[in-house]
Amino acid sequence: QRHAGASITRLRGNLQAAETASSTGMVLTNMVRRSAACVSLAVAQAFHTRCDRGVRFGVVADVQYCDIEDARNFAGTEIRFYRGSLSGARRAARGFEAARLGRGLDFVAQLGDLIDGQNAGGYGALKGKQPRSKKALDEVLAALGACEVPHHHCVGNHELYNFEPDQLMEGPLNMGASGKLYHAFVVDGWTFVVLNPYEQSSSLPKHTPGYKEAAKVLTEKNPNPVLSDVPCNFFEGLKGEGLRFVPFNGAVGEEQRTWLAEVLERAPGPCVVFSHLPLFHESCSWRNVAWDAPQVLEVLREAGNVVAVVAGHSHSGGYALDDHGIHHVVVEATLTHETAFGVCECLGDGSITIAGEGSVPSRVLAPPPSLARRLA
């Protein structure tokens, strides 16, 4: 434990030095941005043990369950364990339950894409078959429900492939009471925000404002026939920041950004943001972030009290620290990693520890310098 404590102290010192350098205008290297907060599971667990209990929650992303054989993705770059991902969800639930019975667990954040779009019967291995969406969803929810704590669910693109917005609003995935698929809640002084990065999406019904806004964006930003049924390469002709303007991404939208700013302004202490889509390209790539990620980041940076954005969508996972000291954590997909989840703890000094399991790295996330000074 002394060794673990010393490791954490050194790590925090390195992070704070990097963040101080950033605040005085120095440029962080990619090495610091991407790996400075990564620690061993033993260190993260020892840190949990030696501190008073903070707010504790589980994270899991992209289960994307479908009762079909394993297969590669469209690009052929990854193997997807469609049927086996249900076992991955069960493993995560057992880990969360062990945490609950140990030092306690306040909730689970499920970061979206709980079931695969093929369940709807419109494409892939189940094309033309009777939809299995509800059955698949019930199976995964039952698996995760083995840990009986509140589950806060993010909307992913595959939720929209399977269900109409009204079905999502009225179904078990919606924890909000505002008539929206986004919400916020407070636990012991920490504010947690669940964003919906598909308020504007080409997967919404065509008569909705969200679809119409998405169609404008994609028509302007993507030269390919992505709004038609004609098969095409979404990315052809796109470069750099423009790579994000593809149909499987979406936008938070102005109304939700205004709501987010108000929530952060009222927050009594540190904040964590959950989103299916990442918001900072260095944690994944421009191919996987929200269309309006730069504008959403501006809201977070202006607030000055956001410690971390925790997202899914990019199956390989990732991490980056931005110039304002906000940590961007992308959780590895259960679909492609089989065992991939973590237990996070938010402490009174504004820091967060992540005890990862399977493919999820363990990390210690120091608060942004401005927030650390406020909490000191």
Side-chain angles (χ1 to χ4, degrees):
Q1 288 227 355
R2 280 199 298 273
H3 175 71
S7 298
I8 291 161
T9 300
R10 285 195 300 274
L11 175 65
R12 276 198 165 156
N14 291 340
L15 281 172
Q16 288 166 353
E19 289 164 346
T20 301
S22 174
S23 67
T24 57
M26 296 177 65
V27 179
L28 290 169
T29 65
N30 281 339
M31 183 181 297
V32 172
R33 285 183 183 277
R34 294 185 179 277
S35 61
C38 196
V39 299
S40 71
L41 175 60
V43 168
Q45 289 177 332
F47 190 62
H48 279 195
T49 303
R50 63 193 287 272
C51 292
D52 293 337
R53 184 198 188 295
V55 180
R56 284 166 55 85
F57 63 90
V59 288
V60 63
D62 297 88
V63 175
Q64 221 167 302
Y65 168 64
C66 189
D67 188 12
I68 58 176
E69 297 298 321
D70 299 346
R72 290 190 175 271
N73 62 334
F74 294 121
T77 56
E78 65 184 27
I79 297 176
R80 298 180 167 188
F81 305 104
Y82 287 109
R83 186 173 289 126
S85 66
L86 186 61
S87 296
R90 291 180 179 129
R91 281 190 290 275
R94 287 196 294 270
F96 298 151
E97 180 66 2
R100 186 186 72 83
L101 295 174
R103 299 187 59 243
L105 196 73
D106 294 291
F107 63 91
V108 167
Q110 188 279 115
L111 299 171
D113 281 4
L114 198 53
I115 62 173
D116 191 82
Q118 292 176 83
N119 285 291
Y123 70 93
L126 298 180
K127 185 174 181 178
K129 306 268 184 159
Q130 198 69 15
R132 302 182 185 178
S133 302
K134 185 179 184 307
K135 181 177 185 296
L137 180 63
D138 288 345
E139 287 182 85
V140 185
L141 288 176
L144 291 176
C147 178
E148 294 185 1
V149 298
H151 285 59
H152 293 268
H153 300 280
C154 294
V155 172
N157 47 308
H158 282 265
E159 272 72 45
L160 295 178
Y161 302 159
N162 280 283
F163 301 105
E164 296 286 326
D166 288 348
Q167 293 175 299
L168 291 173
M169 205 89 67
E170 297 164 5
L173 297 183
N174 188 20
M175 292 282 289
S178 62
K180 301 288 185 180
L181 290 171
Y182 52 86
H183 66 281
F185 58 102
V186 178
V187 182
D188 291 346
W190 281 75
T191 296
F192 300 92
V193 180
V194 179
L195 288 181
N196 174 16
Y198 293 97
E199 276 288 288
Q200 296 173 7
S201 169
S202 60
S203 295
L204 293 169
K206 292 186 177 181
H207 68 275
T208 62
Y211 175 86
K212 292 174 182 176
E213 287 297 324
K216 286 181 189 175
V217 169
L218 290 175
T219 300
E220 178 185 340
K221 301 290 188 180
N222 194 312
N224 303 297
V226 294
L227 294 173
S228 73
D229 294 328
V230 177
C232 67
N233 177 358
F234 292 166
F235 294 101
E236 189 169 348
L238 301 181
K239 296 179 181 178
E241 296 183 24
L243 289 166
R244 70 187 189 272
F245 296 108
V246 292
F248 56 68
N249 297 330
V252 169
E254 185 176 357
E255 180 182 336
Q256 189 178 177
R257 293 198 305 269
T258 300
W259 169 85
L260 173 62
E262 292 169 353
V263 168
L264 297 179
E265 185 178 8
R266 295 194 305 267
C271 304
V272 176
V273 173
F274 301 119
S275 169
H276 180 66
L277 288 178
L279 299 176
F280 186 46
H281 69 283
E282 289 191 21
S283 66
C284 50
S285 77
W286 280 114
R287 290 172 175 247
N288 294 112
V289 299
W291 298 338
D292 58 347
Q295 294 96 317
V296 180
L297 279 180
E298 192 59 38
V299 173
L300 305 187
R301 291 163 175 171
E302 177 104 5
N305 55 2
V306 176
V307 180
V309 176
V310 185
H313 193 56
S314 182
H315 292 176
S316 57
Y319 167 82
L321 179 70
D322 72 24
D323 288 333
H324 288 68
I326 300 173
H327 302 271
H328 297 265
V329 178
V330 180
V331 177
E332 287 72 7
T334 300
L335 175 68
T336 52
H337 293 79
E338 298 186 281
T339 300
F341 64 93
V343 174
C344 308
E345 184 156 4
C346 302
L347 301 170
D349 64 354
S351 65
I352 302 173
T353 63
I354 303 174
E357 293 285 353
S359 298
V360 174
S362 296
R363 305 182 187 276
V364 176
L365 312 179
S370 58
L371 179 61
R373 288 193 293 271
R374 203 183 313 171
L375 295 173

